[in-house]
Amino acid sequence: MKVKEILPLIEAENMTPSADAEKEILCGYTCDLLSWVMANGREGMAWVTVQTHMNVIAVAVLAEMACVILPENIDMDKDVLAKAEAEGLCVLKSPLSGYEICGRLHAAGVSDKGN
Amino acid sequence: MSAVYREYKVEADDFTRAGEASADIKRTLKQLGVSSTVLRRVAVACYEVEINLVIHSDGGTLTLKVDDEGVHLKSQDVGPGIADIDQAMREGYSTADEEARSLGFGAGMGLPNMKRNADRFAIKSRLGEGTTIDMMFALA
Ligand SMILES: Nc1ncnc2c1ncn2[C@@H]1O[C@H](COP(=O)(O)OP(=O)(O)OP(=O)(O)O)[C@@H](O)[C@H]1O
Ligand SMILES: [Mg+2]
């Protein structure tokens, strides 16, 4: 499933229109502790987090993730979004809770370890 | 593999620039044709060591060297040093302050992540002087 295809599924808005929404989502993860994410981050990952600072982008890019998903309409600063766009990383914002987002992605076939 | 040597200054408490050295190191190694598995391991360890310089140290330097043996990463800072290295290496141990924790740092996983990902890992520290970490990632 591509990043752009999960937008309706999790009722999300793409906060980074120029980033690559064609990227394939291979697996999913949720955690707000960055070292934990660093240890488990993978290529093609959809990462649900409430963290919104610059290092979220650094971690996601280093791990070659597919996208970052902010639950409950959490906002990310403009300069952080600009950094994400510069790196080609999609940041999505959803009104749903992290729990609901993960539930819907999992039901759609996105597992934590990938296929 | 052609020899590479690079140095990066990492400032204490500069959260916004944290991760830039790691990103550049990853880019450099990718251009050299380092395999994606090794690249990933270097990226994790490199990010953790860089962020520790920002959060815990008074500033330091990150050095990248590539030779026939592999990728060498060295972190050297000017203090404050670590009193008990065994304790610092334990998963879950952290002295990160409230601000750092609110940003998602302080799981106490950084040093264990480095050790797990590097083929060789050595840490030396002296209170009041600083900490030096040497890591090697074999190519192939
Ligand atoms: N360069 C350093 N200078 C001084 N102390 C350090 C340094 N690096 C690590 N430490 C000490 O070792 C502890 C453990 O480091 P580690 O990276 O494992 O966890 P953390 O940075 O606290 O949390 P996390 O990495 O999970 O965000 C730190 O809390 C700190 O007390
Ligand atoms: Mg750390």
Side-chain angles (χ1 to χ4, degrees), chain B residues 1 5 17-18 37 41 48-49 51 81-82 109:
Chain B
M1 183 124 339
Y5 183 88
R17 292 196 52 210
T37 20
R41 287 166 46 218
E48 294 288 8
V49 83
I51 222 74
I82 300 171
M109 293 278 289

Coordinates of all heavy atoms in Angstrom, one line a residue, chain B residues 1 5 17-18 37 41 48-49 51 81-82 109:
Chain B
M1 N 38.0 -0.1 -1.6 CA 37.3 1.1 -1.1 C 38.3 2.2 -0.8 O 39.3 2.0 -0.2 CB 36.6 0.7 0.2 CG 35.8 1.8 0.7 SD 34.0 1.6 1.0 CE 33.5 0.2 0.0
Y5 N 38.2 10.3 5.3 CA 38.4 10.8 6.6 C 37.5 12.1 6.8 O 37.7 13.0 6.0 CB 39.8 11.1 6.9 CG 40.1 11.6 8.3 CD1 40.3 10.7 9.4 CD2 40.0 13.0 8.6 CE1 40.5 11.1 10.7 CE2 40.2 13.4 9.9 CZ 40.4 12.5 11.0 OH 40.6 12.9 12.2
R17 N 20.0 20.8 15.3 CA 20.9 20.3 14.3 C 21.4 18.9 14.6 O 22.1 18.3 13.8 CB 22.2 21.3 14.3 CG 21.8 22.6 13.7 CD 23.1 23.4 13.4 NE 24.0 22.6 12.5 CZ 25.3 22.7 12.5 NH1 25.9 23.5 13.3 NH2 26.0 21.9 11.7
A18 N 20.9 18.4 15.7 CA 21.3 17.0 16.1 C 20.8 16.0 15.0 O 19.7 16.1 14.6 CB 20.7 16.6 17.4
T37 N 22.8 -3.1 4.6 CA 22.7 -3.7 6.0 C 23.8 -3.0 6.9 O 23.5 -2.6 8.0 CB 23.0 -5.2 6.0 OG1 23.7 -5.6 4.8 CG2 21.8 -6.0 6.2
R41 N 23.2 -0.2 10.2 CA 23.8 -0.4 11.5 C 24.7 0.8 11.8 O 24.7 1.3 13.0 CB 24.7 -1.7 11.5 CG 23.8 -2.9 11.6 CD 24.6 -4.2 11.2 NE 25.8 -4.2 12.0 CZ 27.0 -4.7 11.5 NH1 27.0 -5.2 10.2 NH2 28.1 -4.7 12.2
E48 N 22.9 7.6 17.5 CA 22.8 7.5 19.0 C 24.0 8.2 19.6 O 23.9 8.9 20.7 CB 22.8 6.1 19.5 CG 21.5 5.3 19.1 CD 20.3 5.7 19.9 OE1 20.4 6.7 20.7 OE2 19.3 5.1 19.8
V49 N 25.2 8.1 19.0 CA 26.4 8.7 19.6 C 26.4 10.2 19.4 O 26.8 10.9 20.3 CB 27.7 8.0 19.0 CG1 28.1 8.5 17.7 CG2 28.8 8.1 20.0
I51 N 23.6 12.1 19.2 CA 22.6 12.7 20.1 C 23.1 12.7 21.5 O 22.8 13.6 22.3 CB 21.3 11.9 19.9 CG1 20.1 12.8 19.9 CG2 21.0 10.9 21.0 CD1 19.9 13.6 18.7
G81 N 32.1 13.5 31.3 CA 32.6 12.2 31.6 C 31.5 11.3 32.3 O 30.5 11.9 32.7
I82 N 31.7 10.0 32.3 CA 30.8 9.1 32.9 C 31.4 8.4 34.2 O 32.5 7.9 34.1 CB 30.4 8.0 31.9 CG1 29.7 8.7 30.7 CG2 29.4 7.0 32.5 CD1 29.5 7.7 29.5
M109 N 18.7 3.6 25.9 CA 18.9 2.6 24.9 C 20.0 2.9 24.0 O 20.4 2.1 23.1 CB 17.6 2.4 24.1 CG 16.4 1.9 24.9 SD 16.5 0.1 24.9 CE 16.1 -0.3 23.2

